[in-house]
Amino acid sequence: MPPSDSQSFLRDLDKKLWTAADKLRSNLDAAVYKHAVLGLIFLKYVSDSFAQRQAEIEAMLKDPENDFFVDPAGYDQPAKYDEAIHQELEERDYYIEKNVFWVPALARWQTLQDSAKLPAGTEITVKNGKTTTYKITSTGKLIDDALEAVEKENPKLKNVLNKNYTQLQIDPANLAGLIDLIATIPFQHADLHAKDILGHVYEYFLGQFALAEGKKGGQYFTPKSIVSLIVEMIEPYQGRVYDPAMGSGGFFVQSERFIEEHGGTIGDIMVFGQESNPTTWRLAAMNMAIRGIDFDFGKEPADTFTRDQHPDLRADFVMANPPFNVKEWWNSKLADDVRWKYGTPPKGNANFAWIQHMLHHLAPNGIASFVLANGSMSANQSGEGDIRRRLIEADIVDCMVQLPSQLFYSTSIPVCIWCLAKNKGASKKRGTERRGETLFIDARRLGRMVDRVHKEFTDEDIAMVAGAYRRWRGSDEGEEEYRDIPGFCSSATLKEIEFHKFALVPGRYVGFSAEEKPDLTHIDLKTELEALAARLEQITISATQASQTLYSFANGSTPI
């Protein structure tokens, strides 16, 4: 966690940049403008990283104590010495060895900023080892060509960058203004590196655009506090991490942060993801590149069910926020798919297809944690109840967390977290034997309002939920032992779950705390009351019919 002055610095920066960027947006749709802004932030990042490495190399070349020292005494003219230094600075091996993207001269930020306001037809000189001339036709074309050049020189970025600035209907003056604005992102801070600052700005803008886009924004962005909670619960320190519905890659970013905060290195994990939306797939790839995270997102954007990009993967950690209650997902070639081990999911709802897909890709000792709509905990339609029962009987459901409402920007549907584990036995890493039991956590009363309609978890909320789960699993480093807390958490046996007809709603297991009275507006209670009312109505109808039959027999008439 950055120190408080760093947090204050980042907050001020966020506000300033977003306010200015939003002013430049005019009437452009947020979904379109997003790509313009995030693409330029990415270009600024790779260019700044390149410039920083260039400065390091130059210092090295001019240091008499360094093995790479270039002695000016070996040149009869200063100009020849300067040219020799320039040629060395253009050697890409210096950059590749430090995992820095090679940025061609046309794409370097200063070139872009200096040229963005020049009139069409202007020719500029580009010195990239050799000297060439570039003719400007428009600011959008200049940016597209810069991105094309970066992509061409860095195979890792092949087909990742969104090169369509000429097609965006942004006024050239506003586009140049946007470049000037992004140029003001500070390169350095006493406690933060350029990567941290630009990574933070990228993530902040992703969230702001998701908010501006409303429901559509939920397709690529999972609120940070939910991502943080899942990461803190399952602790992806090392191994293979997989997200089959990765959006912009928020779970991977948070995993990196978690590892750094706990003294590990990002090289300890391997990242695998899949995403069907091409533009979102690119956002995720840029998100990883900014942070220097190696990734495998498959050959291309593709549907997770019909074109699985990692068929042989068995991941140590699976984390996801798949789209809720998707109706149009079925394809005839999915019939008898090997992934439907616990039953073929209903064709009108993909929730249990996501669950079984993730389970299929989970390693024998791995753990999966993901968000789904609350209906997945108790629905019995179209065979969903049978699949859930088989998962419970196979002792795979590790933990269920019911979340408060209003956490998402994109939906008000109540949601929950599922945690699955194929092996719930004690081990050196996971010290507690928990076979035959499932932990239920009711977190609906946690969270704070951050604006009129949205809520988020505080750090204390995350520590409370994640701590309970880790203590129950025996993976918490503290000395405190797990215990049930009425109204919040409870460890239930398979028999207890069977008693509740295999419903996994935490409210049915945790009960009420001693201090609180039952909440009459409680969603579960409302559901129970509705069910009881329906049963009472049916009983009343049956009683009336029985009474009429008895009356008919007693009077020797034909029963109605």
Side-chain angles (χ1 to χ4, degrees), residues 94-401:
Y94 287 122
Y95 303 87
I96 293 170
E97 69 180 7
K98 294 290 184 182
N99 288 322
V100 173
F101 289 114
W102 170 260
V103 181
L106 180 66
R108 294 175 194 168
W109 191 261
Q110 200 58 55
T111 305
L112 204 63
Q113 192 176 5
D114 292 345
S115 309
K117 297 188 185 73
L118 296 175
T122 304
E123 292 188 345
I124 60 172
T125 300
V126 179
K127 192 172 182 182
N128 204 27
K130 61 181 181 180
T131 301
T132 57
T133 300
Y134 177 84
K135 187 174 182 179
I136 293 172
T137 55
S138 71
T139 307
K141 182 72 164 59
L142 173 66
I143 298 171
D144 283 343
D145 288 342
L147 291 168
E148 177 77 36
V150 171
E151 208 174 75
K152 186 178 177 183
E153 296 291 343
N154 298 278
K156 276 187 184 176
L157 298 175
K158 187 179 179 184
N159 299 324
V160 164
L161 307 181
N162 213 5
K163 306 177 287 296
N164 68 343
Y165 281 77
T166 50
Q167 297 166 27
L168 298 176
Q169 295 178 342
I170 302 178
D171 182 272
N174 281 357
L175 203 49
L178 193 58
I179 291 172
D180 284 342
L181 174 68
I182 291 172
T184 65
I185 298 175
F187 185 60
Q188 287 179 326
H189 177 271
D191 302 315
L192 299 165
H193 299 298
K195 182 186 85 164
D196 300 323
I197 296 169
L198 285 161
H200 171 87
V201 170
Y202 192 90
E203 186 179 2
Y204 176 79
F205 271 47
L206 273 174
Q208 289 300 105
F209 280 120
L211 194 60
E213 289 180 57
K215 190 172 182 179
K216 290 180 183 174
Q219 295 173 357
Y220 62 85
F221 186 77
T222 304
K224 185 181 171 187
S225 70
I226 295 179
V227 175
S228 298
L229 173 59
I230 288 180
V231 168
E232 289 288 337
M233 286 177 74
I234 70 172
E235 308 169 287
Y237 276 118
Q238 57 183 179
R240 292 153 295 185
V241 180
Y242 174 51
D243 183 346
M246 65 182 178
S248 56
F251 282 108
F252 302 135
V253 171
Q254 196 60 32
S255 297
E256 180 214 21
R257 200 165 293 151
F258 179 85
I259 291 167
E260 287 180 348
E261 285 174 6
H262 290 78
T265 60
I266 189 60
D268 291 340
I269 62 169
M270 292 173 282
V271 164
F272 300 86
Q274 182 155 352
E275 171 60 48
S276 61
N277 184 307
T279 52
T280 305
W281 188 87
R282 292 191 185 98
L283 285 179
M286 286 194 288
N287 210 358
M288 298 304 104
I290 277 180
R291 292 167 172 80
I293 300 175
D294 279 333
F295 59 91
D296 181 349
F297 292 165
K299 291 179 182 175
E300 56 194 349
D303 183 280
T304 301
F305 296 127
T306 56
R307 294 168 59 207
D308 190 348
Q309 297 290 293
H310 308 286
D312 300 321
L313 173 67
R314 297 296 179 270
D316 301 290
F317 301 94
V318 180
M319 297 183 283
N321 169 29
F324 305 144
N325 301 324
V326 175
K327 294 179 180 175
E328 305 294 332
W329 72 280
W330 180 257
N331 185 297
S332 58
K333 67 182 180 182
L334 292 173
D336 302 321
D337 193 287
V338 67
R339 289 170 289 186
W340 315 146
K341 183 176 176 182
Y342 299 91
T344 303
K347 296 177 183 177
N349 192 315
N351 286 348
F352 281 84
W354 284 113
I355 291 175
Q356 294 194 79
H357 174 87
M358 288 186 264
L359 204 48
H360 176 75
H361 284 288
L362 189 63
N365 292 313
I367 187 160
S369 186
F370 48 88
V371 186
L372 276 184
N374 271 4
S376 62
M377 298 191 291
S378 58
N380 288 309
Q381 301 95 322
S382 308
E384 289 180 317
D386 291 332
I387 299 174
R388 188 175 58 251
R389 174 177 55 77
R390 292 180 193 120
L391 291 169
I392 294 166
E393 289 174 341
D395 201 12
I396 284 169
V397 181
D398 208 34
C399 177
M400 299 296 301
V401 183

Side-chain angles (χ1 to χ4, degrees), residues 72-84:
Y75 299 86
D76 57 1
Q77 297 175 20
K80 289 183 179 177
Y81 173 71
D82 291 343
E83 181 59 25

Side-chain angles (χ1 to χ4, degrees), residues 501 508 523-539:
K501 299 181 179 178
R508 298 190 182 190
I523 292 171
D524 280 345
L525 191 52
K526 182 170 179 277
T527 304
E528 293 286 347
L529 286 172
E530 288 172 351
L532 286 171
R535 284 184 61 194
L536 181 60
E537 184 181 1
Q538 187 61 46
I539 290 168

